Amino acid sequence: MKMILRKYMSLLGIGSAKIDLILPKETYRPGEQIEAYFLIQGGTVDQRITRIECDLLLENHAEETSRTIEARTILSTRTIAAEELNKVPFTFRLPEVVPVPGRDESYRFKTKLTFDQGTESVDQDWIKIVV
């Protein structure tokens, strides 16, 4: 009975696996290659991962809008065991030409881990791109 309850709770996102993009630093230059990794921590039950999406966004805080600069999707059909820790390498080359952020703008990576049941885990990492 306890296992069934855990499974249904993970379908609602409670106790499900979590993702965290681990970046080596916070400040980058246009065209720079980022060597990072995703740290995936299993939840309370085994879950099947279907994909990892990582988007570089330019956020406008004054207007509360965001614009996708570049997007990456890693398709995966693997299971992460309950409480398992897993590292997935991630390489991302920043575009050679990026919009210079205004006073109320900044860049962030938005990472989304999607499971076959449709639940998701989301992570955000703010970075600086200096020209």
Side-chain angles (χ1 to χ4, degrees):
M1 181 70 173
K2 206 182 234 188
M3 195 60 165
I4 293 171
L5 179 60
R6 284 184 184 167
K7 185 173 181 174
Y8 284 111
M9 287 177 69
S10 73
L11 289 173
L12 297 172
I14 301 167
S16 62
K18 304 283 183 225
I19 191 164
D20 187 13
L21 174 61
I22 306 298
L23 297 165
K25 59 184 184 173
E26 292 179 10
T27 303
Y28 298 91
R29 295 201 171 281
E32 188 171 345
Q33 175 129 333
I34 300 173
E35 301 286 337
Y37 65 90
F38 299 110
L39 181 63
I40 303 172
Q41 182 172 357
T44 56
V45 295
D46 295 357
Q47 287 181 286
R48 190 161 186 83
I49 297 169
T50 57
R51 72 182 177 272
I52 300 169
E53 298 172 29
C54 190
D55 300 339
L56 176 62
L57 304 173
L58 178 60
E59 296 286 327
N60 184 310
H61 304 286
E63 297 174 11
E64 297 183 4
T65 60
S66 64
R67 181 172 64 154
T68 302
I69 303 300
E70 203 145 322
R72 296 281 190 284
T73 299
I74 301 169
L75 298 177
S76 174
T77 53
R78 60 178 306 265
T79 299
I80 183 148
E83 299 181 23
E84 174 186 352
L85 274 178
N86 198 321
K87 289 182 180 180
V88 177
F90 176 66
T91 302
F92 187 95
R93 181 170 300 280
L94 292 171
E96 292 288 338
V97 178
V98 292
V100 176
R103 189 182 61 199
D104 295 326
E105 294 180 317
S106 58
Y107 285 97
R108 73 177 167 109
F109 280 107
K110 179 180 177 185
T111 306
K112 185 165 60 170
L113 178 66
T114 305
F115 309 103
D116 65 349
Q117 302 98 346
T119 56
E120 301 172 341
S121 169
V122 177
D123 176 48
Q124 299 184 63
D125 296 275
W126 297 93
I127 65 169
K128 292 178 184 156
I129 300 177
V130 293
V131 181

